[in-house]
Amino acid sequence: MKSVRIGSVGLGRLGYEHAKNLSMLLPGCTLHAVCDVDEERLRSVAEVLDIPHVYTDFAEMCTDPELDGVVIVSPSFLHVEQIRIAMEHGKHVFCEKPLGIDLAQCKEAEKVVEVHPELVFQLGFMRRFDPSYAEAKRRVDAGEIGKVVLVRSYTQDPRSTIESTLKFAPHSGGQFLDMCVHDLDLVRWFTGSNIKNVWGLGGVFEFDLYRELNDADNAAVMVQCDNGTMGFLFTNRTHAAGCNVETEIIGTRGTLRIAPVGTKDLLQIVDEHGARQEYYPDFMSRWHTAFLAEMQAFTDHIRNGTRPTDMTVYDGTAVSEAAYRCKESFETGKMLPIR
């Protein structure tokens, strides 16, 4: 098996998760280099994961002739430029969401990818790689629940991480762009239809910082697709029990439910506090298998000379555009069409 050599940029929480997976858990893959502007963090991670090459300059990393591809987990405003630099140097690209911080950047990313059809481009919509979501998609496509009528999806981060969440909030892009994008992607994926209208709702129920940011600490979205399918999405970052992600797909002939309770396993604990099941403590543990699977898919595409067929740069633009309109709808109080 040909070993695929990867360089990864960004060593925050998710960047480090990807680095660990690439360096330790993926067969046929070598994490050849890492890049980060924090030199102390960079060298510490390289030492722990035994990565031979370190860079503080992304463009310099991309000049390395031994690299086959790059994984971009840097701040969102850097994504488009880093996609361009990587592809101009002949590197395959995996990019975390979102494509950019506005629609113009997303369109720019489309143009860059279009110029390099010989290169793999894959987006970080990891829920598509989760075994339960993939099985639900298979059953939807097989017509087992008839026509999809409604997709309901909740994304709730744990309250235990609220301190780091509040530090991240000013740079996150807001609840709709940072969190709802995954749910919006699921709506498009399960329905096979583009989003037509959105109505963003929400409020500040506890944390005043979100009011200063013209954002919400609890937010919801009503969605209507081109084919008439409906969606209801809810998000917050203060779920007391831990990381909770649940999705329900209602069809004319049946319903599929994924994690109606976001427990980490099937264990039920019975003690002096009563009976309970424990949740995943954070999104890293909830999506560990999916993060591995999406990186395996990326490196397999490079090795086999194939391309993702159902997840393209245009999906990234469509989902980001819907998220931007959700934010605008929330700010204006009006249901808005997708332009």
Side-chain angles (χ1 to χ4, degrees), residues 210-224:
Y210 287 97
R211 185 173 290 107
E212 297 173 20
L213 298 172
N214 197 26
D215 198 7
D217 57 16
N218 285 261
V221 181
M222 292 292 295
V223 166
Q224 181 185 40

Side-chain angles (χ1 to χ4, degrees), residues 95-306:
C95 183
E96 274 299 338
K97 59 83 184 170
L99 274 177
I101 58 173
D102 55 34
L103 188 58
Q105 284 197 348
C106 294
K107 292 293 187 180
E108 186 180 345
E110 287 183 357
K111 293 177 182 178
V112 172
V113 174
E114 287 169 353
V115 172
H116 300 282
E118 78 283 4
L119 297 174
V120 175
F121 179 80
Q122 184 174 320
L123 278 166
F125 288 135
M126 78 289 185
R127 292 187 192 180
R128 297 189 184 203
F129 294 88
D130 178 83
S132 297
Y133 281 85
E135 175 63 12
K137 173 65 171 171
R138 185 193 68 77
R139 291 177 181 271
V140 168
D141 289 349
E144 293 185 16
I145 64 169
K147 292 183 178 180
V148 176
V149 174
L150 176 108
V151 177
R152 176 187 64 83
S153 192
Y154 293 176
T155 299
Q156 298 172 275
D157 276 356
R159 190 181 187 89
S160 61
T161 61
I162 189 61
E163 185 176 342
S164 62
T165 295
L166 291 174
K167 289 180 180 178
F168 175 61
H171 315 289
S172 69
Q175 296 286 73
F176 299 102
L177 182 62
D178 186 51
M179 296 192 74
C180 280
V181 287
H182 290 292
D183 306 282
L184 291 166
D185 179 61
L186 290 179
V187 169
R188 296 182 71 251
W189 192 44
F190 283 127
T191 64
S193 180
N194 285 321
I195 295 171
K196 178 181 179 180
N197 293 306
V198 298
W199 185 21
L201 307 170
V204 177
F205 292 84
E206 185 170 355
F207 298 100
D208 289 339
L209 174 61
Y210 287 97
R211 185 173 290 107
E212 297 173 20
L213 298 172
N214 197 26
D215 198 7
D217 57 16
N218 285 261
V221 181
M222 292 292 295
V223 166
Q224 181 185 40
C225 294
D226 283 340
N227 64 2
T229 306
M230 299 168 284
F232 176 74
L233 320 175
F234 173 72
T235 181
N236 71 11
R237 297 184 186 270
T238 56
H239 193 253
C243 178
N244 182 56
V245 178
E246 54 185 274
T247 301
E248 182 177 53
I249 307 110
I250 299 173
T252 55
R253 295 178 179 271
T255 296
L256 300 171
R257 295 190 183 99
I258 304 165
V261 176
T263 53
K264 67 180 181 180
D265 51 41
L266 298 178
L267 176 67
Q268 185 178 56
I269 303 165
V270 182
D271 56 20
E272 69 271 20
H273 302 293
R276 69 185 188 279
Q277 289 179 284
E278 293 187 344
Y279 278 62
Y280 288 100
D282 52 38
F283 78 92
M284 295 293 188
S285 53
R286 168 61 183 90
W287 302 110
H288 175 70
T289 300
F291 287 139
L292 272 173
E294 68 178 357
M295 282 300 159
Q296 188 68 68
F298 176 57
T299 55
D300 284 348
H301 282 307
I302 295 173
R303 182 181 301 105
N304 299 326
T306 54

Side-chain angles (χ1 to χ4, degrees), residues 9-10 14-15 18 58 62 70-87 93-102 105-106 108-110 112-113 121-125 168 171-172 177-178 313 316 320 324:
V9 59
L14 182 53
H18 283 317
F58 179 77
C62 289
V70 298
V71 171
I72 297 174
V73 206
S74 55
S76 301
F77 71 92
L78 296 173
H79 287 182
V80 176
E81 180 65 8
Q82 290 181 339
I83 293 169
R84 183 189 64 77
I85 291 170
M87 288 193 153
V93 173
F94 174 95
C95 183
E96 274 299 338
K97 59 83 184 170
L99 274 177
I101 58 173
D102 55 34
Q105 284 197 348
C106 294
E108 186 180 345
E110 287 183 357
V112 172
V113 174
F121 179 80
Q122 184 174 320
L123 278 166
F125 288 135
F168 175 61
H171 315 289
S172 69
L177 182 62
D178 186 51
V313 67
S320 293
Y324 302 141

